[in-house]
Amino acid sequence: MWEYTKKVRDFFLHPKNVGEIENPDAVGEVGSITCGDALKLTLKIDKETGKIADAKFQTFGCASAIASSSALTELIKGKTLEEAMKLSNKDIADFLGGLPEEKMHCSVMGREALEAAIAGYRGETHVPESGERVVCKCFDVTEEKLRRVIIENHLTTVEEVTNYTKAGGGCGACIPDIEAVLRDIWSLKPVAEMPREPKKLTNLQKIALIQDVIEKEIRPQLQADGGDIELIDIAGDKVIVALRAMCVSCPMGGVTLKGIEEKLRELVSEDLVVEEQ
């Protein structure tokens, strides 16, 4: 039995903005009835102000899907397209006072419908490329979607990924692939080129090389996944760093630190030890 907030129940029993706008300026359709959830979002956009004048939805799904779709329309009406695009699935869930973890995919579906509608209005291609890899065939979830949702919501386990995307919730054959995507995102990738030849470094050379590796090898990889790093101090072989941005509260921060240490040992010195401030 799901535990719904009072607002979720209200938006399910008394949904707002149900229906379809006649001659809409933008249409976003996501999901599939065969997969259990589908949402069609229609928008009327004020051409002069660029604001969303009206929004309506039709959805096939559970109480959370209806409540999330209704909340989405309430949140975006009156916003410019740029403001609406900043809306995250977490904003939808927060507006409702939260959703059961197992139903977070409903908020993700709302965010995707909005993204599809605005992309179509702007004449951008939103349809996945034909060659895009489908990780979960049961729910037709692509690797691109997995990566985006994992990073945006800071997901670290397969169970969380299933709650947010439904991937892995069918036959389960894709679970090893989901685990591989999680490891790839939250761990440092191996360097393409081998480092410089090991050599005896002076203390100043070692410090300079550590700074260089962090700036050129480590920081770009962390920033690509929404994280960051700050070098705090170097004392002998001890390198003290602080994780920033999305790395701060990441439950897999220990894995990230271990990856940083391995990279510095590989490129600078095998004696280095990395500690977090």
Side-chain angles (χ1 to χ4, degrees):
M1 186 71 179
W2 313 121
E3 290 292 335
Y4 292 120
T5 66
K6 182 179 179 181
K7 201 165 186 178
V8 170
R9 291 196 295 271
D10 182 51
F11 270 66
F12 165 57
L13 295 172
H14 311 288
K16 307 177 193 308
N17 311 308
V18 177
E20 183 174 355
I21 294 175
E22 189 175 349
N23 299 318
D25 296 309
V27 179
E29 292 185 86
V30 295
S32 167
I33 291 178
T34 58
C35 293
D37 293 301
L39 168 62
K40 182 177 183 179
L41 176 70
T42 52
L43 306 178
K44 181 64 74 176
I45 298 170
D46 186 313
K47 305 297 189 303
E48 293 186 1
T49 64
K51 292 185 177 180
I52 298 173
D54 197 9
K56 291 186 180 296
F57 77 94
Q58 293 176 312
T59 189
F60 175 86
C62 61
S64 294
I66 294 171
S68 295
S69 303
S70 184
L72 168 68
T73 55
E74 285 290 278
L75 284 167
I76 61 177
K77 283 201 298 186
K79 283 186 166 60
T80 65
L81 297 183
E82 288 71 23
E83 291 170 339
M85 280 300 291
K86 295 178 182 176
L87 190 77
S88 68
N89 69 284
K90 185 175 183 303
D91 292 328
I92 297 172
D94 289 346
F95 178 81
L96 292 168
L99 287 169
E101 278 296 306
E102 297 84 351
K103 294 295 181 180
M104 283 300 291
H105 61 269
C106 297
S107 63
V108 173
M109 184 170 68
R111 175 66 179 82
E112 290 179 331
L114 174 64
E115 187 177 41
I118 293 178
Y121 176 75
R122 289 173 169 168
E124 300 167 354
T125 301
H126 186 73
V127 178
E129 299 292 336
S130 59
E132 192 174 316
R133 186 168 83 100
V134 176
V135 175
C136 176
K137 294 182 174 58
C138 295
F139 294 105
D140 196 29
V141 182
T142 65
E143 181 173 343
E144 180 187 31
K145 175 177 177 176
L146 279 183
R147 287 181 175 276
R148 185 179 69 249
V149 174
I150 288 171
I151 292 172
E152 287 180 351
N153 294 280
H154 222 202
L155 309 182
T156 58
T157 67
V158 172
E159 182 180 8
E160 289 176 331
V161 173
T162 302
N163 290 340
Y164 279 69
T165 67
K166 301 180 87 170
C171 69
C174 62
I175 288 177
D177 290 333
I178 297 173
E179 292 173 334
V181 172
L182 283 168
R183 284 196 301 272
D184 184 60
I185 289 175
W186 300 123
S187 301
L188 289 175
K189 289 79 176 174
V191 291
E193 298 180 1
M194 288 304 292
R196 305 86 175 163
E197 288 293 326
K199 61 181 180 180
K200 185 69 175 178
L201 299 172
T202 67
N203 200 42
L204 287 177
Q205 288 174 328
K206 183 169 68 176
I207 292 173
L209 187 53
I210 289 171
Q211 293 173 324
D212 187 61
V213 170
I214 287 177
E215 289 299 323
K216 295 181 179 177
E217 300 287 347
I218 296 174
R219 170 164 285 135
Q221 292 189 39
L222 295 178
Q223 289 179 332
D225 294 328
D228 205 348
I229 184 175
E230 179 182 352
L231 177 62
I232 303 298
D233 197 8
I234 300 172
D237 289 327
K238 185 185 297 183
V239 181
I240 303 171
V241 301
L243 297 178
R244 303 299 189 199
M246 290 186 69
C247 291
V248 173
S249 58
C250 179
M252 297 187 72
V255 175
T256 302
L257 280 176
K258 188 66 178 175
I260 293 168
E261 183 177 89
E262 291 176 353
K263 186 65 65 67
L264 288 173
R265 286 182 173 183
E266 179 184 11
L267 299 179
V268 182
S269 168
E270 294 182 352
D271 299 324
L272 293 179
V273 176
V274 173
E275 295 183 1
E276 187 175 11
Q277 185 185 44

